[in-house]
Amino acid sequence: MKLWGYFRSSAAFRVRIALNLKRLSYEQASIHLRKNEQGRPDFLALQPQGLVPALDDDGDVLIQSMAIIEYLDETHPTPPLLPGHPVDRARVRALAQAVACDIHPIDNLRVLRYLAKPLGHDETVVEAWYNHWIKLGFDGIERLLADDERTGTFCHGETPSLADICLVPQVYNEKRYPSFDMAPYPTIRRVFDACMKLDAFDAARPEKQPDAE
Ligand SMILES: N[C@@H](CCC(=O)N[C@@H](CS)C(=O)NCC(=O)O)C(=O)O
């Protein structure tokens, strides 16, 4: 398999974790987002949205991290990334989507760039935007985790799932910004720490990728 990604992309980070949990080997192709390589014609031919990641599995090119991860889970069912019961599956998907649908898209590079230019907001305003939406998202996720007895060592029980795969890269981003206060999120921090002790998560971290700077 071949994964197009970028070391700092949290959506690519999700797919790297899933591939590692499934013990699948893959090569990586770097799309340097800061240098706008996502707009390169050869990459747009693969992913017309100009977003990483994309995964080539034996000639089938898959896009969108959640679709890729569910594909991997369907084609390589062990270990499962979703629990067995439909209600539990819905909970795990809801936690994952709280990150992937509600937080991540509005704090994406192209959104932050658009706020700066052409909208003309300075760095302080862009940072305030970023932190505001992360805080709102994490406030809800902290309650969803802390107030539910199905939360275990991981977001759902004792094995990592799609929910942890989405949560960890988002937390990882925030740790890069000391201005964002993680103190109000003890459960999120505890789950994050548990995940990062696993090789699959650790090996997927940005600074361990071949294109890390
Ligand atoms: N919903 C997409 C989001 C992909 C996405 O936003 N990728 C970011 C990196 S994390 C990207 O390529 N950004 C390029 C840009 O903003 O120009 C997915 O889950 O794959």
Side-chain angles (χ1 to χ4, degrees):
M1 289 191 217
K2 180 171 175 178
L3 175 67
W4 282 268
Y6 179 56
F7 74 111
R8 281 222 176 98
S9 155
S10 55
F13 191 170
R14 292 174 202 152
V15 174
R16 295 195 298 262
I17 297 168
L19 286 162
N20 294 346
L21 283 169
K22 300 286 186 186
R23 298 188 180 282
L24 296 168
S25 60
Y26 57 99
E27 60 174 297
Q28 297 202 50
S30 180
I31 298 296
H32 199 301
L33 299 183
R34 299 262 163 207
K35 293 184 184 161
N36 296 318
E37 288 181 358
Q38 63 272 41
R40 246 173 33 198
D42 62 323
F43 183 66
L44 287 175
L46 287 174
Q47 198 335 356
Q49 291 181 284
L51 297 169
V52 295
L55 182 77
D56 184 326
D57 184 12
D58 207 14
D60 288 315
V61 178
L62 312 167
I63 61 163
Q64 288 286 343
S65 63
M66 306 294 273
I68 295 171
I69 294 167
E70 292 222 20
Y71 166 84
L72 293 172
D73 207 31
E74 286 163 11
T75 50
H76 301 84
T78 309
L81 302 178
L82 288 166
H85 194 284
V87 173
D88 294 328
R89 294 165 83 81
R91 176 176 187 252
V92 166
R93 287 193 172 108
L95 288 165
Q97 289 172 23
V99 173
C101 303
D102 297 337
I103 298 179
H104 179 263
I106 46 177
D107 276 344
N108 203 352
L109 178 64
R110 60 186 181 173
V111 172
L112 303 181
R113 279 177 165 170
Y114 188 72
L115 288 170
K117 214 163 124 187
L119 295 187
H121 294 292
D122 63 24
E123 217 174 288
T124 323
V125 174
V126 175
E127 192 175 321
W129 166 285
Y130 186 85
N131 286 342
H132 172 78
W133 295 114
I134 304 285
K135 181 180 168 354
L136 211 63
F138 278 10
D139 285 351
I141 293 172
E142 176 65 24
R143 290 269 56 83
L144 286 167
L145 292 175
D147 297 348
D148 192 320
E149 61 187 16
R150 291 171 293 180
T151 303
T153 302
F154 300 102
C155 285
H156 191 88
E158 297 308 310
T159 50
S161 68
L162 181 65
D164 304 281
I165 288 174
C166 289
L167 183 64
V168 162
Q170 195 64 58
V171 175
Y172 210 89
N173 278 350
E174 275 40 274
K175 284 180 171 279
R176 283 180 55 220
Y177 297 101
S179 70
F180 187 79
D181 183 14
M182 285 297 297
Y185 310 113
T187 320
I188 292 178
R189 283 189 283 118
R190 177 180 64 68
V191 168
F192 175 84
D193 290 342
C195 288
M196 292 313 296
K197 287 195 183 112
L198 302 180
D199 288 346
F201 285 79
D202 181 64
R205 64 166 80 212
E207 63 271 23
K208 291 202 169 173
Q209 305 318 303
D211 59 343
E213 290 165 355

